[in-house]
Amino acid sequence: MTDPRDAVGDPPEGPAHEPAEAPPTPDGQRRCDLVLGGGGVRGWAHIGGLTALEDADFEVMRAAGASAGAVTGAFAIAGVPATTLRGLFEELDFTRFALSDVVGRLGSRRVVGRLVQRWSDDAATPLHWIHAILAEQGVETFGDLRVAGDDVPPQRRYRLVVRCLDVLQRRVVRLPWDYHRYDLDPDAQSVAEAIRASMSIPFVYDPVRIGNRDTGRQGLLIDGGLTSGFPVSVLDRPDADPPRWPTFGIRLLSRPEPQRDIPDGGLTLAKMMVDALLESNDQLEPHTERDERRTVRINVSDVRALDLDVEGDHDLFADGYRAMTTFLERFDFDDYRSWWRPWVRTTDDV
């Protein structure tokens, strides 16, 4: 796989700007928040975008994401370098990773248990893989990601927000913000388990139970990327003061060719249903003009979310890197602050 930094291409026509001049940290780095949508295996493009941010000396202060975006965002704020993250994904067996729950269900049946025992590996399951990487960075529970500050409500003082969909309560869930709905202490909840819940694509991964059985407040969580993606404003400060640093959104845009063949079986139909849910969500537009102006668009039309064997000409990492680099070449933080407007409550903030 080629390194896109060797051939980013000429900058776009138009007024040139220095890279975003957000206020630097004491060591000279610039800060930003990051909002990432889902995308399955197309999450490779997120890593490319994250690498471009790192090369431009940005530090991700907070991240919000669903599914693949939750994975990338969590690793970023935990301190995993982008180059290390790229290596982790290159070594990952996506097929085994995606089929881990299916193998687990088969393994529980005596007839086929021995046949799948050798193929099954706890270390290859999403939960164990995510937990191990975060634990190496000293992150296990959301309490490890709590931050001080009086510019946001106490329940929102965390560096990571993970989006899920509760099919029992029929509502979007943002963890750790919404743990109180289930009588759970957010500081004590596993970050890896929240991310795993956000990855629960129907028919691929099992849904994740959540809640306090003693009080009866429970839920069943699935992939948060199946609903409309985060508005970029989800991490905006809730007062009228201008932002201290920018928030960038990354959208994985997909315009696949329509499927013309009628499915000939239940499995084919199930896959088409999941693909349709994921693809239609990816095509949703940013909520506001303000979101639009700070959103990085990455074209991933050639790859579907469940294309587990994607390789060859589909260099998603390079696509993400180029898109973010082009965006930063045009971005100016003073301009960003000039069109800022006070935060307005939306249905996603309820």
Side-chain angles (χ1 to χ4, degrees):
M1 183 179 296
T2 60
D3 193 324
R5 287 169 287 192
D6 296 333
V8 172
D10 296 330
E13 296 181 1
H17 295 289
E18 292 296 323
E21 294 298 330
T25 59
D27 60 1
Q29 279 192 306
R30 291 186 289 269
R31 297 172 173 176
C32 71
D33 291 340
L34 202 57
V35 180
L36 306 160
V41 299
R42 297 177 302 201
W44 256 109
H46 286 320
I47 302 173
L50 183 63
T51 303
L53 279 173
E54 190 173 284
D55 285 351
D57 293 325
F58 274 94
E59 178 184 3
V60 179
M61 302 304 295
R62 296 182 301 168
S67 193
V71 176
T72 304
F75 290 167
I77 57 94
V80 179
T83 53
T84 301
L85 184 55
R86 183 182 183 183
L88 289 169
F89 274 76
E90 285 178 341
E91 297 171 358
L92 190 62
D93 184 337
F94 279 99
T95 300
R96 176 174 290 191
F97 196 73
L99 297 180
S100 59
D101 281 9
V102 175
V103 171
R105 289 191 291 269
L106 291 175
S108 65
R109 302 180 182 180
R110 293 182 180 180
V111 176
V112 295
R114 292 183 179 179
L115 296 177
V116 300
Q117 185 174 10
R118 294 182 181 179
W119 200 79
S120 178
D121 179 5
D122 283 344
T125 66
L127 179 60
H128 285 79
W129 185 75
I130 295 167
H131 174 80
I133 294 171
L134 291 177
E136 287 184 0
Q137 303 298 124
V139 175
E140 295 193 29
T141 68
F142 279 99
D144 298 320
L145 299 177
R146 177 177 277 277
V147 295
D150 57 5
D151 58 339
V152 292
Q155 70 271 21
R156 296 194 175 192
R157 294 175 187 169
Y158 296 90
R159 295 188 63 198
L160 178 69
V161 183
V162 177
R163 182 187 180 101
C164 304
L165 179 63
D166 186 340
V167 295
L168 291 185
Q169 305 299 329
R170 299 183 182 181
R171 64 188 176 202
V172 170
V173 175
R174 299 152 303 169
L175 305 176
W177 295 356
D178 292 330
Y179 277 121
H180 69 279
R181 296 178 181 269
Y182 304 95
D183 291 336
L184 295 174
D185 176 9
D187 284 359
Q189 305 310 309
S190 166
V191 176
E193 289 183 6
I195 297 170
R196 167 60 185 81
S198 184
M199 294 170 54
S200 299
I201 302 173
F203 309 115
V204 179
Y205 294 123
D206 294 335
V208 174
R209 293 182 179 274
I210 184 177
N212 188 321
R213 295 188 179 184
D214 293 335
T215 63
R217 301 184 71 176
Q218 299 186 67
L220 192 64
L221 305 183
I222 64 171
D223 188 343
L226 295 177
T227 62
S228 60
F230 275 118
V232 186
S233 57
V234 69
L235 294 178
D236 289 349
R237 55 189 303 156
D239 54 31
D241 292 339
R244 293 171 294 175
W245 52 75
T247 298
F248 301 135
I250 297 182
R251 290 187 59 78
L252 305 182
L253 299 177
S254 177
R255 298 292 187 270
E257 291 294 326
Q259 178 69 41
R260 302 186 184 282
D261 297 329
I262 302 299
D264 56 3
L267 289 177
T268 303
L269 176 60
K271 185 177 184 302
M272 287 180 62
M273 291 171 58
V274 174
D275 276 338
L277 287 169
L278 296 173
E279 305 289 354
S280 60
N281 174 60
D282 289 340
Q283 294 174 34
L284 293 175
E285 297 299 318
H287 286 56
T288 65
E289 180 183 356
R290 184 171 66 177
D291 282 2
E292 171 69 28
R293 295 179 68 169
R294 49 187 173 156
T295 294
V296 183
R297 295 168 172 266
I298 305 174
N299 190 338
V300 292
S301 295
D302 292 337
V303 180
R304 293 186 180 274
L306 298 180
D307 284 347
L308 303 180
D309 57 349
V310 59
E311 57 182 335
D313 295 334
H314 304 299
D315 197 341
L316 295 169
F317 178 92
D319 293 339
Y321 189 93
R322 283 191 292 266
M324 179 60 77
T325 300
T326 300
F327 176 86
L328 292 177
E329 287 170 347
R330 287 182 172 272
F331 183 80
D332 180 88
F333 187 63
D334 289 336
D335 179 61
Y336 181 96
R337 288 168 62 95
S338 71
W339 50 257
W340 186 258
R341 296 291 183 273
W343 172 82
V344 178
R345 181 175 296 275
T346 68
T347 56
D348 200 66
D349 297 307
V350 175

